[in-house]
Amino acid sequence: MHNVATPDEAFAGASGRDSLPATPTYFERPMLKAPHWEWNVITYLFLGGVMGGLGVLATIARDDRDDERRLRRSARYASFALAAINPLILISHLGRPERFLHMLRIVKFKSPMSLGVWGLILFSGAAGANVARELADAGVLPRWTRHFAPSITTPLQAALGAFVAGYTGVLLSATAIPLWGAGKTHIPAASVCSGFAGACALASLLATIEGNHAVTRKLERLEIVAGGAELAILLDFKRAAGSYGAPMFEGARGEKLRTHTLLAGIVAPMALNLIGSAIRLPKPLDAVRTTAASILTLFGGYVLRETLIEAGKASAADPRAAFRQPR
Amino acid sequence: MAKTTIDLTKMLSAGEGLRLSERVGMMPNLASERTRTLKGRIAHAKPVVSLCPYCAVGCSTLAYVSDEGKLLDVEGNPDSPISGGHLCPKGSAIFGLTVNDQRWTTVKYRAPYSDRYEERPLAWALERIAQRVKETREQTFVKSSDGKRVNHTLGIASLGGATFGVEENYLLGKLMHSLGVVSIENQARI
Amino acid sequence: MPGLGTSFGRGGATVWVPDLAHADCILIEGSNFAEAHPVAFRFVMQAKERGATIIHVDPRFTRTSAMADVYAPIRSGTDIVFLGGIINHVLANESYFKEYVAAYTNAAHLVREDFVDTEDLHGLFSGWDEEKNGYDVATWDFERDEHGAVVNDPTLQHPRCVLNVMRGHFARYTPEMVEDVCGTPRASFLKIAELLAKNSGRERTTAFAYAVGWTQHTAGVQFIRTAAILQLLLGNIGRPGGGIMALRGHANIQGATDIATLYDLLPGYLAMPSALRNEQTLEQYLKSTTKPSGWWANTPKYVVSLLKAFYGDAATKDNDFCYDYLPQLTGDHSTLPTTMAMKDGNVKGYFVIGQNPGASSQNGELTRSAMERLDWLVNIDFYDNETVSFWKREGADPSKIATEVFFLPAATVVEKEGTMVQTSRLLQWHDKAIDPARDSHSDLWYFYDLGKRLKALYAGSNDPKDRPILDMTWEYDHDDPHERAKGEPSALRVLREINGFYTATGEQVKAFTDLADDGSTAAGGWIFTGVCPDEHTNHARSRSGDDSTSLNWGWAWPANRRTLYNRASADPDGKPWSERKKYVWWDEEKREWTGYDVPDFPKTKAPATPAIPGGKGLDAHSGADPFIMNVDGKGQLFVSGALKDGPLPAHYEPLQSVVRNPLYEQQSNPMLRQWDRPDNAYNKAVDAAYPYVLTTYRVTEMSGIMTRYVPWLAELQPAAFCEINPELAVEKGIKNGGWVTISTALGEMEARALVSGRLRPLRIAKGQRVHQIGIPYNYGSQVAFARGDSVGDLIALSMDPNVSIHESKSLTCNIRAGRRAPRHSGVVDADVPSSERTTMGQSSALGPEDLRDPAALTHHARANDGKDASHGMRQMGQGDRPSPEKGA
Amino acid sequence: MSTGFFTDTTLCIGCKACEVACKQWNELPSDGYEFTGNSYDNTSQLSGTTWRHVAFVEQMHVEETTIDDRWLMMSDVCKHCTHAGCMEACPTGAIIRNEFDSVFVQPDICNGCGYCVVSCPFGVIDLVNVFNAEASGAYGLATLNDQRLDDKQTAVQATGGVAGKCTLCYDRQTLGMTPACAKACPTESIQFGNLEELRERANARVESLAKRGIEASLYGAGDVGGGIGALNAFFLLTDRPEAYNLPVEPVLPSTRQPAGYTAAALTAAGLAIAGWMIFRNA
């Protein structure tokens, strides 16, 4: 095609475009359709991760330690609450309540959305059963109701929780959006980490409110691990994604990722948490520190999802990335 | 509204439910009632042979009409040796030309010096037009000019004819010539 | 159509559209075939798939060019040079079809000795009268013997035989000249010339296709003449896969010419009586219009039958069949002069039917402001449009416009029945599918109703001037009770009247050969006689097509012939020129013409039949004269006297051109007609202020008001745009997609820029770089989903001398980035008393869309616009013959 | 029977009859009236309400020769993939494969989640969200609002929209009719029929074009790779796929699921173990 003035070239002078694109594309038109997802889906994904992480925490926590006992209870309540809220957020995205029911017509193993919804429902069931158990233990419900929640629901909630947290990543990575596809292992793994960290943060926050300071140390250590893993995964994602990663890691969005997600959402709470485990601060100050760390982590979790979605939209608009889609 | 939830209950009800196992898995093929009974809207419509009104190639069209006399669809007539059932974009849009909420389907009248149109009854407008034609003709009719019989009026002109039919041209011409109008023109010159 | 009509005999495309598939080569020039006629273009594609070479010559690289095997750019308006160059090439290389030319054309006729060619008169032919500003065409004739018969030289050796006169005339049209004038690279031109010659002859045929890209020029008829000459030389007329395809623009353009609503024509190409000729009585008129030999010897039969169809029993032999009921012409009453007359206050009432001159006419502002001077305007259409709403256009002040405006809602094609004539002269009937929406009615209904009302208004009048209205037969009630109840007339009854009937019995006439001049037959349009040959038959409704000539699909005038002059598809002896190109031939056993088509020749006239010198009608032709309409039965290479601007085509620059005519001293067509007045200002030729060529066209997705409201079409081409090449865009700082303003002496328009390499700058003589700018002619700025300024607002009115067609295809302009200034139109004529203006106008405040610029409210400039200007029209001389050549 | 489209771009004259015929039959509104300046392409893309889209690619030489100037045109459409990303992604079962082997969106089932939109490797399917009173005014003939359609309620669903794309005129096929676009196409650039026959015809076409010196290739007549398989709507192209805005290496998104689930599971397991250890060692 030498000597051929492509539309780009022919127009370059006329439109005052500064540099010619490397590969001629179709008028720089996007080849792919961008996601129609806004705050509600971002929130749905974020809360799904937190909710799932809480389910795991509730299982890790032991009955015979008071602090962990209380953690388990608050984690169960919180994850059940989120499991109740999340479908409402999804419905707000779908437009009408009965549309959610269409999701229940089938189970489709190849659709992360389908599996995720069923996972969410089963998780809600397990969470509900476990909440019932807590309520029975607390005497709110008659004690015999405890029998309706078999002991299997505890590990089940953990397993489903892990799934729910992970599926929010697969939901993105198993799409045609080049950026997301390039993160086919990173995004699910990072989602799980973010979910765990978020769960730890939320649990710490609740524990701080409750005055259950003993457990916050444990949670914070786990949060450090999850945050560290997330950081490592995201950095590796940047490396592995190469040019597909540009919409996420470069430019203004990359800057936001670095300052908001990585620095404010991961590094800062990690540092706060490390301070917490290294130095014993006065109680009120420590509560502030924990609260700050938790809020930053949760903020980081939301911003990660937001960045992923927004960068996904930008990635969809890049025809060059879409011409050769990541395997 | 209820219709959207019916599918779920139907799926779980007897018969449907039995085959649930087939439908759960990798690639379920769950056709709804609407899908199973889907038929093009012209299944029982009457095709009427018409013509494309745009360019002069003369593509034959089929206008599908429902029992109630409503236009459902206009598409190419495959029997035509000229068009073979094909149509260009304009021809494919004849339906949109005809059924269009922008179309003016009533008389619009603008009085002298007015800044707006008014709706007027058709019969009123036609009678007024006839009177105005007569009035102008009376004012401007010339029987002879330079000693020659001319029997014409230059006070009335008509433009149009290439977008309507042969018979319409003929009647317009016959009427205008009988009125003595000579400036009878159409798109053919334009 | 004089271009085709004077050459071959009939003003219609010679080609049956599907037959294009059988061409070996197709030259598309003056037409954007694929875009303007996409469905017919499938036959071009079929030909291409069968191995034919498709050639497109056009100022722009269009969707047609994209499909062509060979594309050559050309400077708009120089087609005579391009085609003349091919004629010169063919003559110089002796590659014309010699047997065909010798037998079927007037190549052997000797031209009068006193005829002087443009070669010797700097671009003028002999007979130019500077004072009269016109030609005396006497010298443009053939040498005749003492009996008036034309002198021939069958050896083609005589220097004054037509062939040799042509050799001299076209000698100047060399490949170098083509490159210098047209900007077409020499290699491309030579390739095309060779392709045409190679694909013509006994075994192969080449077809030409053109459209308004040739007609809308001040020398448009001569463009077509050049093509006709070339096709005659190549022997492609009347043969399968050959001919000249005139692509008409609108559904019934052909029908509106056949059953004419054109000022100078009566139905069937009969001339409108004119006071400029001596046609006061029927006898005088027939004498003036009847030809001694050829088919037009039958004129009296058709005229009398027409009068009987119009005036029925009132038309008798004693009263000249009411001949004096017909009005007489006193000038050019075609649309452009009428617009000028309207502007000058001489037209009071205007019917505009299915037409939007407010957006589609040239000099749009003149057209729209002319309507301000009307007493009343009746518009029949589907949608609001720039014509009916002229009084609220940008800058206009409705409170000062006295025109009473009526909009009558029209029925669309599916809401009515009737016949349309397509581009191959094929009559096709369409049935009615649904009732018209609400108050909408067919145009037929409106005309019928108006006729009835006027008859009632004039009832009892004794004034002779009212007799035509009272005596006009007007009985078309529908047979269907449902339709009759709504007052719908029967289109079939009208078509039957056009077909003709015996006045005594009411029986349908079967063929135009049965028509008589004694009042025993009535026929509203003799060329259609045969379409309804009996009470039960309507051939226009025949719907049985086939892969060949589809003689049972619709009905083509004349006499259902598909390819015209098809006698020429056989050699003089009546045998096919070749097996491959067999079409119509003489069956010696049955002693008749036979073939795949209805022979365009007397069925039993043997090839060997000699011509009878001085014979009447077709007796004057031999059995080997295929062009039966012509006086001599031959194709006319040299046209004697019938055209106003020359017997042979000569290149003149467009009226508004960027260069001096490189061929002759004569810059533009000496016979072109123009109005030099302030409201119709022209760009001067070679004016540095207007250095670019401007050409106009339409796009596939749009027609006009019939598409601009259809969302499906409007989204495809939503705005007026302007195509310019990247080089010019860079020079002018124009951004693709941005706004540009294009200007001429007449005014400005704005459009969106479409920067494209498809508009290649041309290099012409002395290395001059010519930029061509293209603007589609589909938009109007007032209404609809797709809109934008109309390019018509840039085009001053000028006309071709033969058919009064405007020049819209080759103009000059300037261009700049950015949007235009608001318009201050709405100039009001002084006839309305100012007191009345204020009182009538007080209550009506202007809408926001009426004025873009509040300053316009106080702007009363250009009052009496053009009123005092001299009429200024040059060349208003009247034609002495009907001129059924049409554009669009 | 498997049916499909063979779109031969060498026959396309860019008239856009396919776009209009499709909208007419399927009663789709316009997508707005935006002048793009991108050659003659003002609809720009396939959308939820534009199911055929004609791409225009101008390749004009800068120098004076015109010999190799090209203006490529291609009518794009849903590919009806053998393994369709949209259908796999659809959580409601709204997207099904019908008896003609085409991928069909059931508008009465679709809940507008939009997951199919991001799961199409060709960027075809999109949400339709102009079906409300306000939009119909802006966009003109929103015929799904037309009272003549008894199922408009289900078709329109809600203001949230439903996914829309080519149905391969399922409702016409049930009547034995050719899809609207293929029927309208004046030059038969769009050919509809039995897939096997279409593929044979397409291969023959490539050979015959090669004999004329025209280099052409088929896109989607065979496996396009990435796990998608062959396309039921395939194309004959005379330039690289990217020139027409087609992906040269499309990937079926679901092929990434195993890796994703595995990574998620391993991470979750790792963190759970870490948590377990942290809780126990504290």
Side-chain angles (χ1 to χ4, degrees), chain A residues 153-165:
Chain A
T153 55
T154 300
L156 194 60
Q157 194 185 357
L160 289 166
F163 171 77
V164 168

PDB file of all heavy atoms in Angstrom, chain A residues 153-165:
ATOM      1  N   THR A 153     -22.709 -24.421  56.256  1.00  0.00           N
ATOM      2  CA  THR A 153     -22.900 -23.081  55.687  1.00  0.00           C
ATOM      3  C   THR A 153     -21.733 -22.162  56.003  1.00  0.00           C
ATOM      4  O   THR A 153     -21.508 -21.183  55.293  1.00  0.00           O
ATOM      5  CB  THR A 153     -24.205 -22.431  56.177  1.00  0.00           C
ATOM      6  OG1 THR A 153     -24.205 -22.429  57.600  1.00  0.00           O
ATOM      7  CG2 THR A 153     -25.415 -23.154  55.646  1.00  0.00           C
ATOM      8  N   THR A 154     -21.002 -22.464  57.061  1.00  0.00           N
ATOM      9  CA  THR A 154     -19.861 -21.599  57.382  1.00  0.00           C
ATOM     10  C   THR A 154     -18.756 -21.729  56.333  1.00  0.00           C
ATOM     11  O   THR A 154     -18.399 -20.732  55.685  1.00  0.00           O
ATOM     12  CB  THR A 154     -19.338 -21.904  58.787  1.00  0.00           C
ATOM     13  OG1 THR A 154     -20.381 -21.670  59.712  1.00  0.00           O
ATOM     14  CG2 THR A 154     -18.157 -20.993  59.126  1.00  0.00           C
ATOM     15  N   PRO A 155     -18.214 -22.907  56.096  1.00  0.00           N
ATOM     16  CA  PRO A 155     -17.225 -23.010  55.023  1.00  0.00           C
ATOM     17  C   PRO A 155     -17.812 -22.710  53.655  1.00  0.00           C
ATOM     18  O   PRO A 155     -17.126 -22.201  52.763  1.00  0.00           O
ATOM     19  CB  PRO A 155     -16.731 -24.459  55.120  1.00  0.00           C
ATOM     20  CG  PRO A 155     -17.781 -25.179  55.857  1.00  0.00           C
ATOM     21  CD  PRO A 155     -18.402 -24.193  56.807  1.00  0.00           C
ATOM     22  N   LEU A 156     -19.097 -22.994  53.509  1.00  0.00           N
ATOM     23  CA  LEU A 156     -19.737 -22.712  52.220  1.00  0.00           C
ATOM     24  C   LEU A 156     -19.708 -21.213  51.932  1.00  0.00           C
ATOM     25  O   LEU A 156     -19.388 -20.786  50.821  1.00  0.00           O
ATOM     26  CB  LEU A 156     -21.195 -23.201  52.247  1.00  0.00           C
ATOM     27  CG  LEU A 156     -21.894 -23.290  50.890  1.00  0.00           C
ATOM     28  CD1 LEU A 156     -21.164 -24.262  49.972  1.00  0.00           C
ATOM     29  CD2 LEU A 156     -23.341 -23.736  51.071  1.00  0.00           C
ATOM     30  N   GLN A 157     -20.007 -20.466  52.965  1.00  0.00           N
ATOM     31  CA  GLN A 157     -19.971 -19.006  52.767  1.00  0.00           C
ATOM     32  C   GLN A 157     -18.556 -18.558  52.402  1.00  0.00           C
ATOM     33  O   GLN A 157     -18.377 -17.643  51.602  1.00  0.00           O
ATOM     34  CB  GLN A 157     -20.453 -18.270  54.023  1.00  0.00           C
ATOM     35  CG  GLN A 157     -20.749 -16.807  53.729  1.00  0.00           C
ATOM     36  CD  GLN A 157     -21.104 -16.010  54.975  1.00  0.00           C
ATOM     37  OE1 GLN A 157     -21.196 -16.563  56.087  1.00  0.00           O
ATOM     38  NE2 GLN A 157     -21.308 -14.719  54.796  1.00  0.00           N
ATOM     39  N   ALA A 158     -17.575 -19.225  52.996  1.00  0.00           N
ATOM     40  CA  ALA A 158     -16.196 -18.870  52.680  1.00  0.00           C
ATOM     41  C   ALA A 158     -15.872 -19.193  51.225  1.00  0.00           C
ATOM     42  O   ALA A 158     -15.320 -18.375  50.479  1.00  0.00           O
ATOM     43  CB  ALA A 158     -15.235 -19.610  53.598  1.00  0.00           C
ATOM     44  N   ALA A 159     -16.253 -20.411  50.828  1.00  0.00           N
ATOM     45  CA  ALA A 159     -15.958 -20.825  49.456  1.00  0.00           C
ATOM     46  C   ALA A 159     -16.686 -19.920  48.464  1.00  0.00           C
ATOM     47  O   ALA A 159     -16.107 -19.422  47.487  1.00  0.00           O
ATOM     48  CB  ALA A 159     -16.369 -22.273  49.247  1.00  0.00           C
ATOM     49  N   LEU A 160     -17.980 -19.691  48.745  1.00  0.00           N
ATOM     50  CA  LEU A 160     -18.756 -18.834  47.851  1.00  0.00           C
ATOM     51  C   LEU A 160     -18.223 -17.403  47.888  1.00  0.00           C
ATOM     52  O   LEU A 160     -18.216 -16.705  46.882  1.00  0.00           O
ATOM     53  CB  LEU A 160     -20.233 -18.860  48.242  1.00  0.00           C
ATOM     54  CG  LEU A 160     -20.949 -20.179  47.928  1.00  0.00           C
ATOM     55  CD1 LEU A 160     -22.291 -20.233  48.641  1.00  0.00           C
ATOM     56  CD2 LEU A 160     -21.125 -20.351  46.431  1.00  0.00           C
ATOM     57  N   GLY A 161     -17.780 -17.012  49.078  1.00  0.00           N
ATOM     58  CA  GLY A 161     -17.213 -15.672  49.226  1.00  0.00           C
ATOM     59  C   GLY A 161     -15.981 -15.509  48.361  1.00  0.00           C
ATOM     60  O   GLY A 161     -15.831 -14.507  47.651  1.00  0.00           O
ATOM     61  N   ALA A 162     -15.135 -16.511  48.394  1.00  0.00           N
ATOM     62  CA  ALA A 162     -13.940 -16.463  47.560  1.00  0.00           C
ATOM     63  C   ALA A 162     -14.344 -16.406  46.093  1.00  0.00           C
ATOM     64  O   ALA A 162     -13.778 -15.649  45.284  1.00  0.00           O
ATOM     65  CB  ALA A 162     -13.061 -17.686  47.818  1.00  0.00           C
ATOM     66  N   PHE A 163     -15.373 -17.181  45.763  1.00  0.00           N
ATOM     67  CA  PHE A 163     -15.832 -17.176  44.375  1.00  0.00           C
ATOM     68  C   PHE A 163     -16.376 -15.805  43.979  1.00  0.00           C
ATOM     69  O   PHE A 163     -16.040 -15.260  42.926  1.00  0.00           O
ATOM     70  CB  PHE A 163     -16.902 -18.245  44.151  1.00  0.00           C
ATOM     71  CG  PHE A 163     -17.541 -18.127  42.803  1.00  0.00           C
ATOM     72  CD1 PHE A 163     -16.872 -18.568  41.674  1.00  0.00           C
ATOM     73  CD2 PHE A 163     -18.773 -17.508  42.642  1.00  0.00           C
ATOM     74  CE1 PHE A 163     -17.426 -18.423  40.423  1.00  0.00           C
ATOM     75  CE2 PHE A 163     -19.334 -17.355  41.394  1.00  0.00           C
ATOM     76  CZ  PHE A 163     -18.660 -17.820  40.281  1.00  0.00           C
ATOM     77  N   VAL A 164     -17.221 -15.266  44.858  1.00  0.00           N
ATOM     78  CA  VAL A 164     -17.833 -13.969  44.538  1.00  0.00           C
ATOM     79  C   VAL A 164     -16.755 -12.899  44.363  1.00  0.00           C
ATOM     80  O   VAL A 164     -16.792 -12.093  43.432  1.00  0.00           O
ATOM     81  CB  VAL A 164     -18.864 -13.566  45.610  1.00  0.00           C
ATOM     82  CG1 VAL A 164     -19.287 -12.115  45.439  1.00  0.00           C
ATOM     83  CG2 VAL A 164     -20.080 -14.474  45.533  1.00  0.00           C
ATOM     84  N   ALA A 165     -15.772 -12.930  45.264  1.00  0.00           N
ATOM     85  CA  ALA A 165     -14.692 -11.952  45.144  1.00  0.00           C
ATOM     86  C   ALA A 165     -13.916 -12.154  43.852  1.00  0.00           C
ATOM     87  O   ALA A 165     -13.572 -11.196  43.156  1.00  0.00           O
ATOM     88  CB  ALA A 165     -13.751 -12.067  46.346  1.00  0.00           C
TER      89      ALA A 165
END
